[in-house]
Amino acid sequence: MVTSKASLGLQGHALSRLQTALIVAPSFILFGYNQAGIGGLLTEEDWSATFPEIDTVHATAEDKNARSTLQGFVVAVFVVGALFGALSCSYSGDRFGRRNVIFFAAVCTLVGEVIEASSFGLAQFIVGRIVVGLGVGQLSSLVPVWQSETSGAKNRGRHVVLDGLFICLGYVLESWIDLGFFEIRTGPATWRPPIAIACAFSLVLICSVYVFPESPRWLLMRGHKDQARENLARLRGLPQDADEVHGEMAGIELSLEITSTNGAKLSHLLKMGEDKLAYRFGLCLLLQFYQQMAGSNLISVYAPILFQENLGLSSEVSRVLSAGALTWKFLSSFLAFAAIDRFGRRAVFIVSGTGMSCCMVALAIATSFPTSNTSSQIAAGCFIYLYNMFVPIGFLGANFLYCTEVAPLRLRMAMSSISTANHWAWNFVVAMVTPIAIRNIGWQYYIVFAVIAACIPVSVYFLYPETMGRNLEEIDLMFKQAPSAWTTVQYEKQTRNTMPQEFEKQASMVTELKHSEG
């Protein structure tokens, strides 16, 4: 029996839990914390004095639109960095490995946070935002891939949905920390420490990433078969010569052999072919479009402004309600954790999309009344909270999970990074447009998000096959064998119980062939 080495004396489930605590948690807390990082600071007195170019609180009527546009750009420039960071992973993730790129991304976030917290001018702050965004974009693209490649099929959904839970935790920490320092009232301490606190999570990530084994799938793709087997055994908590390890290794090799026959070029993502890559790529792009354009980022980043300017509440009350709404969103994330591997990906997407659309319709109606109408204010606040219950069920982690599941191994990094970049591109649109839209069209702005969210359950029902309970190579085989893109959902339902046996048979044939050649 060949035993597997352990990291810090841990392997199997214990190693997976440690990876969640030291890699996944800080990565996605950084995501949420930095994305929401300045939304609640925009009305601080010392902030306005330091960056008067984006001060909309004390601006005259003539200057307000111009400053709102610049303010939206400063918030959104973080997303520009994230977009390029995510795109860069399509090359760097496969070229340098999952761990090396995660380390570089963590360093980027640390450097950017230091630049932001020490800013005395808008140009310096913008540079810091871009650098932080670059790191967060890489983390948002690569960490879910690393998770899905190192997790077993049974609990892969729960592992990756934790991403959304930790994004919510980042939002929550930022909102309450912002509120706490807001009580100081004056001076740079009202906004510099809240930004600098994020450095702690970057340092945890930098110090921890090399404690954990590299992705066995990446190692096998690079030809390091012995190291891949050792790492897989450590991740599963089994001896290297265990049947389960041999079977999973054979499955990965089968997937690699099938895809290597046709090569692996980015241009293939736009072609259908036997692998139906264009269809799978389209599923990822549409899912990430929905994540942003159904209003998730609008409510999370601009919640203090929505309460203060849209509902006419005081600055302090707005911050308290915003922090409460994001805390509720964090608690609601546990619904996704419980549902994703029990009811499946399709169910959580459909429920989430339906709920978000209904809440946006209600929010549009409630905010159409004057701010003097107390009843409509209360109703609008309730629907913001209710909306924050539906978002994390399907679109704060499950969307990243699904994109990594439907991608073939040799193009998984490219497909994940480009679809994540698409997420950041629409994030940029929302961040840029929101301050101006709230002031100019008010309640009608919510109708846009309501209509888009209403498309989610329809498109998921007809286009998105279930992936729950299948390993990644089995999902790849399912797409290949489906008669057409339009019949893939129905084919998945028909073969749910027969596909595993067929896949194991093909994998065992590959293993026997290799033994005979050896």
Side-chain angles (χ1 to χ4, degrees):
M1 178 182 291
V2 182
T3 59
S4 56
K5 298 178 183 178
S7 298
L8 298 178
L10 300 175
Q11 55 183 328
H13 293 301
L15 182 61
S16 177
R17 286 192 289 269
L18 189 65
Q19 183 188 34
T20 299
L22 297 181
I23 302 297
V24 180
S27 294
F28 286 94
I29 288 174
L30 283 169
F31 183 133
Y33 195 97
N34 283 295
Q35 184 171 3
I38 68 170
L41 304 177
L42 297 174
T43 55
E44 300 275 9
E45 287 186 17
D46 192 75
W47 172 277
S48 298
T50 306
F51 309 114
E53 305 95 327
I54 56 173
D55 176 18
T56 58
V57 178
H58 307 100
T60 62
E62 297 80 30
D63 294 336
K64 183 157 283 192
N65 276 341
R67 291 190 181 184
S68 294
T69 302
L70 184 58
Q71 183 186 89
F73 173 75
V74 172
V75 173
V77 77
F78 163 84
V79 179
V80 175
L83 190 153
F84 285 103
L87 281 176
S88 70
C89 288
S90 63
Y91 169 76
S92 61
D94 283 338
R95 176 69 178 82
F96 301 109
R98 311 327 191 201
R99 295 188 305 174
N100 291 334
V101 179
I102 289 173
F103 177 82
F104 176 76
V107 172
C108 285
T109 61
L110 180 63
V111 171
E113 287 150 4
V114 170
I115 294 172
E116 281 184 322
S118 60
S119 294
F120 285 93
L122 192 60
Q124 180 183 348
F125 189 82
I126 289 173
V127 170
R129 290 288 286 172
I130 292 173
V131 176
V132 171
L134 182 70
V136 170
Q138 292 176 90
L139 293 175
S140 67
S141 177
L142 198 54
V143 172
V145 172
W146 194 27
Q147 277 181 282
S148 65
E149 290 183 341
T150 56
S151 301
K154 184 178 180 181
N155 295 313
R156 183 177 61 246
R158 290 185 179 182
H159 286 166
V160 182
V161 163
L162 282 172
D163 300 352
L165 192 149
F166 291 125
I167 291 172
C168 281
L169 182 57
Y171 287 143
V172 169
L173 290 174
E174 189 281 328
S175 59
W176 287 111
I177 289 170
D178 171 45
L179 176 62
F181 283 94
F182 170 78
E183 297 299 333
I184 298 175
R185 302 295 180 183
T186 59
T190 57
W191 64 273
R192 293 188 190 276
I195 293 174
I197 284 172
C199 294
F201 301 108
S202 300
L203 288 170
V204 169
L205 197 53
I206 290 170
C207 296
S208 304
V209 66
Y210 289 110
V211 170
F212 300 94
E214 181 58 272
S215 163
R217 287 171 169 83
W218 179 80
L219 288 169
L220 202 55
M221 186 169 65
R222 304 295 292 185
H224 305 299
K225 186 173 180 179
D226 292 339
Q227 185 64 49
R229 182 182 290 105
E230 180 184 331
N231 284 7
L232 186 61
R234 291 163 63 187
L235 291 162
R236 301 294 176 262
L238 296 168
Q240 291 184 38
D241 54 2
D243 291 340
E244 293 88 343
V245 174
H246 281 303
E248 192 165 350
M249 285 285 291
I252 299 170
E253 289 178 316
L254 171 63
S255 179
L256 281 172
E257 286 194 5
I258 293 173
T259 54
S260 63
T261 302
N262 299 319
K265 298 178 181 178
L266 288 178
S267 60
H268 291 172
L269 294 178
L270 303 178
K271 299 176 182 178
M272 191 61 74
E274 181 189 4
D275 292 342
K276 301 176 185 64
L277 291 177
Y279 166 52
R280 293 154 81 169
F281 188 43
L283 294 179
C284 296
L285 292 179
L286 186 59
L287 204 58
Q288 298 291 26
F289 166 79
Y290 283 146
Q291 202 277 341
Q292 285 302 314
M293 295 308 293
S296 174
N297 195 45
L298 166 72
I299 301 297
S300 297
V301 176
Y302 285 105
I305 293 176
L306 294 180
F307 282 116
Q308 187 170 344
E309 297 190 15
N310 206 216
L311 302 184
L313 303 176
S314 70
S315 180
E316 186 168 16
V317 171
S318 296
R319 280 173 167 77
V320 172
L321 289 176
S322 174
L326 293 173
T327 303
W328 173 243
K329 187 176 185 178
F330 168 69
L331 295 175
S332 299
S333 299
F334 288 95
L335 293 174
F337 185 76
I340 191 71
D341 281 326
R342 180 172 299 176
F343 302 111
R345 288 40 162 169
R346 283 164 52 86
V348 297
F349 290 146
I350 290 172
V351 170
S352 184
T354 303
M356 288 191 292
S357 180
C358 292
C359 288
M360 279 296 179
V361 170
L363 196 56
I365 295 171
T367 54
S368 66
F369 293 93
T371 55
S372 58
N373 189 317
T374 305
S375 298
S376 67
Q377 279 188 311
I378 294 172
C382 289
F383 283 115
I384 287 176
Y385 273 70
L386 188 59
Y387 178 88
N388 276 345
M389 182 187 79
F390 283 108
V391 173
I393 291 176
F395 285 89
L396 207 60
N399 52 309
F400 292 108
L401 165 69
Y402 196 88
C403 291
T404 62
E405 287 182 324
V406 301
L409 178 54
R410 284 189 176 274
L411 287 169
R412 183 169 296 137
M413 198 63 255
M415 194 176 289
S416 174
S417 63
I418 295 172
S419 63
T420 304
N422 174 63
H423 157 96
W424 289 112
W426 290 108
N427 190 316
F428 177 80
V429 171
V430 173
M432 278 295 295
V433 169
T434 295
I436 302 168
I438 289 174
R439 290 181 176 86
N440 292 323
I441 61 174
W443 63 271
Q444 299 171 71
Y445 188 45
Y446 301 114
I447 296 176
V448 176
F449 299 103
V451 172
I452 293 173
C455 297
I456 294 173
V458 178
S459 57
V460 169
Y461 183 82
F462 289 106
L463 297 175
Y464 285 74
E466 185 57 71
T467 58
M468 179 182 69
R470 298 179 184 270
N471 64 45
L472 299 179
E473 288 68 42
E474 190 183 325
I475 294 169
D476 190 32
L477 187 64
M478 174 194 71
F479 277 102
K480 288 184 173 72
Q481 293 187 347
S484 69
W486 300 109
T487 59
T488 303
V489 172
Q490 191 62 34
Y491 179 78
E492 187 281 326
K493 292 177 181 178
Q494 294 171 353
T495 61
R496 172 148 287 274
N497 296 322
T498 60
M499 178 72 77
Q501 291 87 345
E502 183 179 348
F503 176 78
E504 288 174 7
K505 182 179 179 181
Q506 291 194 33
S508 63
M509 288 174 62
V510 171
T511 305
E512 291 173 6
L513 180 62
K514 287 185 176 291
H515 283 312
S516 64
E517 289 175 350

